[in-house]
Each structure stands twice: as C-alpha cells, then as structure tokens.
Amino acid sequence: MTIYLPTQLKTATEAFRYMLGGKATITIISAETQKHLVYRIVVSPKDAKRHAVWVHTNNGWKFVGTLYHNGRKFFRSQRSIPKSWLLYRSFVWAWRHLRNKSMPWSLIIYHENTCCRCGRKLFDPKSIKAGIGPECIKKRGA
C-alpha cells in the first residue's frame, strides 16, 4: 500500500496556477502559528473566468467569495462569510500575495494530491508534483 502525503506548492506561480485549475483543494498553513485552513476553489460551470472559493469549517463548507477574470479580482457577496472572520482574512491575504507573484515565508500551501482540473486522485509522481493528471494536462494544452 502506498501512502501519499500532501504536496507543497513552493512558488506563488505554482500555487496560483493550481488554485485556478477548476477543482482545486488546498491547505494553507501559517508558519508562525501552525494553524491550517482548507479551501476549495471551483470554476463556475457558466463562466470559466469565475471561480467560487469555499472554506472548510466544523459545520461544513462555507462560501468565502468569488475570483473573477482569472484571479485578478476577488469579490464578496451577501452569501460570503463575514470579513471579520479569520477564514476570510486568511484567504484574502494569501491570494493578494499569490496574485502578485509573492510567496511570503510564513505562507505554506499544500495540495491534496488531486488533479486541479477534474478533482480526481493523482497517483503518478510527475502528476502529483505538477498537480494535474495526464489527461487534463493534454486538454489544457500545457
């Protein structure tokens, strides 16, 4: 039996690309506090330039907001969790850095060894490192 540990996304570019893949699940860890949060970023079926961001809580998944224009803008809505929640502030802080191609020393991001595009479990070491499966990488044209 093979056990795969989550894979760290070491650069802002890797993290940004993975998160906008279409069905990304990531864990953000603070190097300072060692606290972690799990987010899911899913592309809208109606508009490929829009991604919904969800955070996992003790009460299930909560809506954080929407990324527009391939991640260049982030918006809240009435359905979003409050701005004052750490869950919201953490994502916004991390996203601003990643969007500006910056990976602060205190930000650690892992992906759960699932394809960022289709969400299926990855098994091949090359696919795990890239965060995308062989079929999806062909479709994406990368």
Side-chain angles (χ1 to χ4, degrees), residues 9-97:
L9 297 165
K10 296 187 179 189
T11 69
T13 303
E14 283 178 338
F16 190 86
R17 185 177 298 143
Y18 183 83
M19 291 166 73
L20 291 178
K23 284 190 179 179
T25 302
I26 59 158
T27 301
I28 293 178
I29 301 172
S30 166
E32 293 180 78
T33 65
Q34 294 302 308
K35 291 186 179 183
H36 72 280
L37 298 167
V38 178
Y39 294 91
R40 183 141 171 100
I41 300 103
V42 183
V43 70
S44 166
K46 296 177 184 176
D47 183 0
K49 293 182 180 179
R50 190 181 311 189
H51 292 73
V53 180
W54 301 83
V55 64
H56 190 266
T57 68
N58 292 335
N59 297 323
W61 292 94
K62 302 286 184 189
F63 183 68
V64 178
T66 305
L67 295 167
Y68 287 96
H69 305 293
N70 296 323
R72 287 192 298 269
K73 297 188 185 264
F74 178 78
F75 291 102
R76 294 184 72 251
S77 73
Q78 291 179 338
R79 298 182 324 150
S80 298
I81 59 176
K83 279 184 175 181
S84 60
W85 286 18
L86 177 67
L87 306 169
Y88 177 87
R89 292 190 331 259
S90 297
F91 180 81
V92 170
W93 177 83
W95 188 254
R96 284 183 181 149
H97 282 283

Side-chain angles (χ1 to χ4, degrees), residues 112-130:
E112 305 301 313
N113 298 330
T114 57
C115 178
C116 67
R117 192 160 194 265
C118 69
R120 286 185 283 190
K121 189 81 177 150
L122 298 172
F123 297 100
D124 178 63
K126 286 182 182 178
S127 295
I128 291 170
K129 187 171 190 296

